[in-house]
Amino acid sequence: MARTGRRRNIDPAAGGSGGSGPQSTTRDLILGAARAAFAERGFDGASMRHIAGAAGVDQALIHHYFGSKQQLFVAAMQLPFDPDVVRQMVFAGPRDQLGERIVRFFLGLWEEPVRRQVLLGMVRSALTEPRAAEMVRRFVIEGGVLPLVEEARVTDSAMRATLVGSHLMGLGFARYILCVEPLASAPVENLARAVGPIIGHYLTDPFETSSEARSV
């Protein structure tokens, strides 16, 4: 008996990106299943067969649209937001509350379900997959924090960006992956007020990063 159902989704003439209609819907189903799998299992634990089953498509269709598992990971882990809009939002207010606004924005990403899946997938996969680790560094440090630090027009921008990114990722890891209480259930606003001054210190206060400063 000939197979029916899932195989009918394969369209040899379909492109690998964008578009509308059934083709776009199929891609969205695959991406949604991939985000969930990477968030729950990380890169190594999420199999193409599992993702195909969750999306209700043939595994061959995933290869048709995305190629390799790594290419699927890159497509699924995109975190769409406009850095210019973020920068305007973060700097729209008193400078002494700059850290609070950054913490509020960062935790807000985790609070949104789809973006939380992306972040969970990135962090869990970064433990075993070099490309995932690269994406975390690029998102948190280079693409997210460093432009904000440079906008603040301070010295030692790379070190400051690394300190801010490390603190934020530690906060996200403890709250959303380890689920440490009472941190995990604390309101975002409370955390923004508590952690914000520390982030603000990294961003704007003078500090020495030279080897001479470490000597006593």
Side-chain angles (χ1 to χ4, degrees), residues 4-205:
T4 60
R6 294 187 301 178
R7 288 286 297 182
R8 70 172 178 261
N9 288 323
I10 297 181
D11 178 5
S17 63
S20 58
Q23 176 179 316
S24 179
T25 300
T26 301
R27 290 187 82 259
D28 290 343
L29 287 172
I30 295 171
L31 289 172
R35 290 188 192 102
F38 290 131
E40 180 182 353
R41 305 180 178 202
F43 184 86
D44 285 349
S47 70
M48 295 286 265
R49 177 176 297 181
H50 171 82
I51 293 170
V57 302
D58 280 347
Q59 188 172 328
L61 187 57
I62 301 181
H63 292 287
H64 171 70
Y65 278 121
F66 299 100
S68 68
K69 180 180 175 182
Q70 189 174 73
Q71 289 171 313
L72 173 62
F73 178 82
V74 172
M77 294 296 102
Q78 295 300 314
L79 192 66
F81 61 83
D82 187 337
D84 290 333
V85 173
V86 175
R87 188 160 49 246
Q88 292 172 13
M89 177 190 70
V90 166
F91 283 91
R95 190 176 178 87
D96 62 356
Q97 296 175 11
L98 179 61
E100 290 186 28
R101 291 192 294 275
I102 290 175
V103 174
R104 197 175 293 117
F105 168 74
F106 178 76
L107 294 180
L109 293 178
W110 285 91
E111 292 294 317
E112 200 278 318
V114 173
R115 287 172 170 164
R116 183 187 299 190
Q117 281 190 330
V118 172
L119 289 166
L120 285 172
M122 279 187 182
V123 173
R124 286 181 171 146
S125 299
L127 300 176
T128 58
E129 167 57 28
R131 183 56 192 264
E134 177 189 345
M135 290 180 69
V136 171
R137 288 193 299 269
R138 189 172 68 242
F139 163 64
V140 176
I141 305 298
E142 299 172 16
V145 177
L146 186 56
L148 297 178
V149 174
E150 291 174 340
E151 183 75 15
R153 293 178 172 81
V154 291
T155 59
D156 301 309
S157 57
M159 175 61 76
R160 292 174 186 271
T162 302
L163 288 170
V164 171
S166 300
H167 200 115
L168 291 177
M169 287 306 296
L171 177 62
F173 190 83
R175 176 175 169 87
Y176 297 102
I177 295 180
L178 298 181
C179 299
V180 177
E181 291 292 0
L183 182 65
S185 57
V188 168
E189 192 58 35
N190 290 3
L191 295 177
R193 287 196 296 266
V195 180
I198 301 172
I199 301 300
H201 163 69
Y202 291 151
L203 280 170
T204 60
D205 289 354

